[in-house]
Amino acid sequence: MGGIIVIDVDDALFDFVGGLTNYIARAHPRLMRAYRDAHTIPLSREAFQIYSLARTIPGGTLEMEEEVVGGFYTSAEFSELSPLEGAKEFAQRATAQGLGIVIATSRPAEIEALTRAQVSGLLPDARIINYHFCGGSSVSTSLTCKGQLCREYRAVAFIDDSATHIGACRRKSPTTRAFMMSQPWNKSASALDSARAHNWAYIGDELRL
């Protein structure tokens, strides 16, 4: 088959939001109480109807989000993120068919070494061509980075949980098959339902891996 698949990391390969909620429960119980007091249910990944901690926690601010997420990056919960079911098997089948994988993440470059270790630990046999860290200081650049990568690599497929990045890939690289990992925060993106994937097995079947 041959070609390149561009793959996101958080909430595509690993359960980032699940790990984040576990970290908040341990390190920031005040935020857990604030959410429970407002909604009468515990904070969970299903609560993230928008991919923003500041907009999910009552009274949240960007400063609070930066502090919490920054602490999460150095926590045990982050270093031990759970992989999404089927991701490893998908990468194995892709590699067996001659496909290369490009990792494109919105994580900051400051945690590149840890990110590489996590991905290589999950996908030890995958043919990983390159890593790109799209969480730059420029918002406009970070929002278009992954779409640009789809075009530059002439990617066969792109997998991400962000409707914004899926849309950017479709615009910049119309021949790339874009798959949006279905998550609570992208359920309102009905215009992209044709790209929605509920699991890695579905993507593998669509690509005939």
Side-chain angles (χ1 to χ4, degrees), residues 22 29 40 45 56 63 68 84 93 106 133 147 156 182:
N22 291 338
T40 70
R45 70 189 329 278
T56 299
E63 290 76 13
V68 172
L84 266 63
R93 292 196 298 272
S106 297
F133 290 79
V156 172
S182 189

Side-chain angles (χ1 to χ4, degrees), residues 4 10 17 59 62 74 89 92 122:
I4 297 292
D10 293 322
V17 169
L62 290 177
T74 63
E89 293 76 12
Q92 290 173 334
L122 175 63

Side-chain angles (χ1 to χ4, degrees), residues 6 102 104 132 134 140-155 158 164-173 176:
V6 179
V102 167
H132 294 271
C134 294
S140 60
T141 299
S142 63
L143 292 179
T144 59
C145 169
K146 295 181 182 181
Q148 185 66 27
L149 291 173
C150 288
R151 181 167 66 185
E152 290 178 2
Y153 283 101
R154 298 181 181 178
F158 171 55
T164 299
H165 293 311
I166 293 295
C169 178
R170 282 185 158 189
R171 290 190 300 274
K172 290 183 174 292
S173 184
T176 299

Side-chain angles (χ1 to χ4, degrees), residues 1-3 5 7 85-101 123 125-127 181 199-209:
M1 185 177 183
I5 299 177
I7 301 178
E85 183 177 355
K88 181 176 183 176
E89 293 76 12
F90 173 90
Q92 290 173 334
R93 292 196 298 272
T95 298
Q97 294 203 23
L99 286 157
I101 292 174
L123 311 177
D125 302 318
R127 180 171 164 247
M181 277 293 187
N199 52 57
W200 280 100
Y202 170 81
I203 299 172
D205 289 345
E206 287 293 300
L207 295 176
R208 299 182 179 180
L209 297 183

